[in-house]
Amino acid sequence: MPTVAELSDLYGNFMLGPQPGSDVCRVCFNLTNGYRRCYACAHGGRWLDALAPISYSVAGEQLHHALAGYKRGGGPVARRFALELAAVMWRYLAGHERCLVRAAGVECFELVTTVPSGERERDDTHPLRRMVSELVAPTRGRYRPLLHRSEVVVAAHEFSIRKFDVDGELGGRSVLLVDDTWTTGANAQSAAAALKRAGAQAVGAVVIGRYLNRGWHDNDRRLCGLRPPFDWQHCVHCRNEKSTD
Amino acid sequence: MIPAHESAALTVLLRQGHRTPRAYADLLEETGSALEVLERELSGGDGQISLLPPAREDLIAEAMADIAGWRDRGIRPLTLLDPDYPENLRAVHDRPPLIFVAGGLDPGDAKSVAVIGSRRASPAGIDTARRTAEALVGAGYVVTSGLAAGIDTAAHAAALDAGGRTLAVIGTGLNHAYPPRNAELQRRLARECAVISRFWPEEPPSRQGFPLRNATMSGVTLGTVIVEASATSGTRIQARQALAHGRPVFLMSPIESQPWASELAARPGVYVVDSPAEVISTIERLHGPGALVG
């Protein structure tokens, strides 16, 4: 069986870890022109207590291809991607979940759940759910399918406090929300809103890829400055602490 | 099997369209049909093909005629959506939307490893290439290489001698052989195994062709073994591409003494190995049962 370290090492050659900075969104680590929040984070919902994007996912590049491919078709290619992405998630959370816990201002995340997919029927069999509930050791014991799409019709990239529903009461527990990709954050923020409505004390999110397009503004030059190999020793939050010490 | 219309539609798109091959690969996967992509491009939107309907019919007819001509010479176009398109290649971000195959592909070809190296190989390098190819064949792997002189030729020949299967991924169209003295080996591989190219069959050798070939070869295989290589070789390009694909690279230990190789050896996913057996055990572990251990 492949080890987590060995499989995730292979992704270390193209993953690009976000670095906090004065021209990087403090919420989602989007590259900005000197703004502290990107447009989507400044104008969208603000329900998440902290977010950890593991890597940038650049349009057309290998991580972006894997993040699209693991949910396509369910064949051997999709299953392979799911396993590799699970290794990335496992290694990252084993090293840095506590950094996200601190950033969210809680003791721990008692529960783990995933952001439901666009199509409601696909949810029970969605590979992200399988990753988090079966493949990734740091999350599988705490996984609960807490969220589902509500009856309210909301567009894919739109935030709404009513987009998702939670069955039952969370009674002050804290939740780690997992998603594959962050584009505008509308889905993750909507999910966090639903969890808070159901009584969650805090919600932290981890996403594998923060989507970026090289053609946008200065992105290409700035992404070229983030050279692989990926640094598994530091995350956006433990880097932050260092810089403010 | 996908009807010839699909490959004809894709041929028109790649010849006339304004997008990159990679963009067409994405569109193919999103829509599930080259014909649908062609319809969309013709009906407007960005990247559209500016053609009047009669010209469109002509272009499709021309593509169909070309495909028939290629098929007569034993060359089969495969689109990314064709079930026979190599599974490993589909998994890389720079997969070509259209490839050409002489010979027959087999689902078992997914269990394939590239063995590559210098064109001006030393006798020791040739020996290592042969032993590596034999060991891979013995363990049930397909040996893939680039039909170049030196290490590539030794790897193909040793795989055939060992009664195994060997694929060539070449840097020209399938109507050409480069170097010309490997034309006979190329014909034999097409007859007994398969030769793959991402170039139009008529395309001659070119400077840009060979790096693209290396990316395709990395894509087709589970990993790349580098037997012997100089600092300026295409082999180094393939090492970089394999890592960009998330595939392991194996350096046979003697080359570690070269500065470029020791630099490469420091990258994650690069294994310096003393024997072909280590290559095989590593690949078996990386592709073991679908679960993870911490």
Side-chain angles (χ1 to χ4, degrees), chain A residues 204-221:
Chain A
V206 62
V207 298
I208 299 171
R210 202 280 166 231
Y211 176 84
L212 283 184
N213 193 318
R214 277 193 194 264
W216 190 255
H217 292 303
D218 210 11
N219 282 1
D220 185 44
R221 186 187 61 78

Side-chain angles (χ1 to χ4, degrees), chain B residues 85-263:
Chain B
Y85 188 94
E87 167 189 316
N88 294 330
L89 187 56
R90 203 176 273 145
V92 299
H93 64 281
D94 50 357
R95 66 238 180 271
L98 184 68
I99 58 169
F100 296 89
V101 180
L105 292 177
D106 183 291
D109 291 342
K111 205 178 160 187
S112 152
V113 174
V115 179
I116 58 165
S118 174
R119 290 187 298 268
R120 284 179 298 275
S122 70
I126 297 285
D127 182 59
T128 306
R130 290 195 62 93
R131 283 188 299 111
T132 305
E134 283 161 14
L136 285 166
V137 165
Y141 285 86
V142 174
V143 174
T144 299
S145 195
L147 260 175
I151 298 295
D152 289 22
T153 301
H156 288 301
L160 288 171
D161 291 346
R165 200 171 147 77
T166 175
L167 302 179
V169 181
I170 66 170
T172 67
L174 288 170
N175 289 349
H176 297 270
Y178 188 87
R181 83 179 109 101
N182 268 352
E184 180 46 43
L185 182 58
Q186 185 168 325
R187 276 194 293 275
R188 184 173 172 201
L189 290 186
R191 219 165 40 234
E192 298 176 18
C193 305
V195 183
I196 300 170
S197 169
R198 61 173 291 161
F199 304 98
W200 301 112
E202 304 77 22
E203 201 142 317
S206 74
R207 191 177 280 274
Q208 315 83 285
F210 292 96
L212 285 171
R213 176 272 301 274
N214 288 110
T216 309
M217 199 196 312
S218 162
V220 166
T221 55
L222 298 175
T224 293
V225 182
I226 296 179
V227 172
E228 197 175 69
S230 69
T232 55
S233 64
T235 306
R236 282 181 71 188
I237 295 174
Q238 184 158 331
R240 205 163 56 226
Q241 286 159 334
L243 296 180
H245 290 157
R247 307 268 166 91
V249 170
F250 301 90
L251 300 175
M252 294 311 267
S253 59
I255 59 172
E256 202 199 354
S257 56
Q258 299 187 33
W260 71 265
S262 58
E263 206 177 290

Side-chain angles (χ1 to χ4, degrees), chain A residues 9 51 62 212 228:
Chain A
D9 261 353
L51 167 70
Q62 190 63 29
L212 283 184

Side-chain angles (χ1 to χ4, degrees), chain A residues 29-94:
Chain A
F29 303 90
N30 193 4
L31 304 175
T32 71
N33 289 338
Y35 294 101
R36 290 154 63 87
R37 284 197 168 86
C38 69
Y39 184 87
C41 289
H43 294 84
R46 292 188 194 175
W47 293 81
L48 278 175
D49 294 285
L51 167 70
I54 301 176
S55 169
Y56 287 120
S57 167
V58 184
E61 296 179 16
Q62 190 63 29
L63 183 62
H64 182 245
H65 187 53
L67 287 168
Y70 90 100
K71 15 185 204 196
R72 193 182 282 131
V77 172
R79 285 200 304 274
R80 181 70 193 171
F81 280 145
L83 194 70
E84 292 167 347
L85 293 168
V88 167
M89 176 78 72
W90 179 332
R91 185 168 180 182
Y92 185 86
L93 288 176

Side-chain angles (χ1 to χ4, degrees), chain A residues 4 6 13 62 65 72 80, chain B residues 29 93 268 271 285-286 293:
Chain A
V4 167
E6 214 171 12
N13 286 303
Q62 190 63 29
H65 187 53
R72 193 182 282 131
R80 181 70 193 171
Chain B
E29 283 181 338
H93 64 281
Y271 297 79
R285 192 172 62 246
L286 288 171
V293 289

